[in-house]
Amino acid sequence: MMEMLPYYKIRVICEDVKGNKKCVYTQENLSKAEAKTDIEKIARTIDKNMLNDSEVERSLIYLKKNETEIRFHNIKTKNLHCKYFIRMERYSLLQLLNIK
């Protein structure tokens, strides 16, 4: 049986209230099936860690085809605290040639 090539990577991007985006986690060299299951695991981990803070509450989980968005807001003020984007991205052909 032919082995699946690692075409995918996962990026977790955090956007704060001011709109500043920062890549907080990257996982590379994944097959498509591994990437899909890892997105779910990462989303659960982020949710669990953020809900440990008593001032923050989850407001929305938005699922797209290759992206999951999780929004958290402040309990007291109801203002947006931060957004997490978990993206599954495919390597370009040039990047794949550099991997091997």
Side-chain angles (χ1 to χ4, degrees), residues 19-65:
N20 299 329
K21 293 184 179 181
K22 182 173 79 170
C23 183
V24 292
Y25 179 73
T26 304
Q27 190 172 1
E28 299 180 343
N29 298 335
L30 299 168
S31 67
K32 189 171 187 176
E34 289 174 335
K36 284 186 177 184
T37 57
D38 284 356
I39 283 177
E40 295 171 5
K41 289 178 187 176
I42 292 169
R44 281 192 214 111
T45 305
I46 290 171
D47 189 35
K48 186 176 80 174
N49 290 341
M50 288 297 289
L51 293 179
N52 286 339
D53 188 0
S54 62
E55 296 180 5
V56 176
E57 182 178 61
R58 181 183 65 235
S59 60
L60 177 70
I61 296 178
Y62 187 62
L63 303 172
K64 295 181 186 175
K65 185 177 180 182

Side-chain angles (χ1 to χ4, degrees), residues 28 55 73 85 93:
E28 299 180 343
E55 296 180 5
H73 67 270
F85 298 97
L93 184 60

Side-chain angles (χ1 to χ4, degrees), residues 4 26 39 44 79 81 99:
M4 291 294 294
T26 304
I39 283 177
R44 281 192 214 111
N79 292 336
H81 180 70
I99 287 175

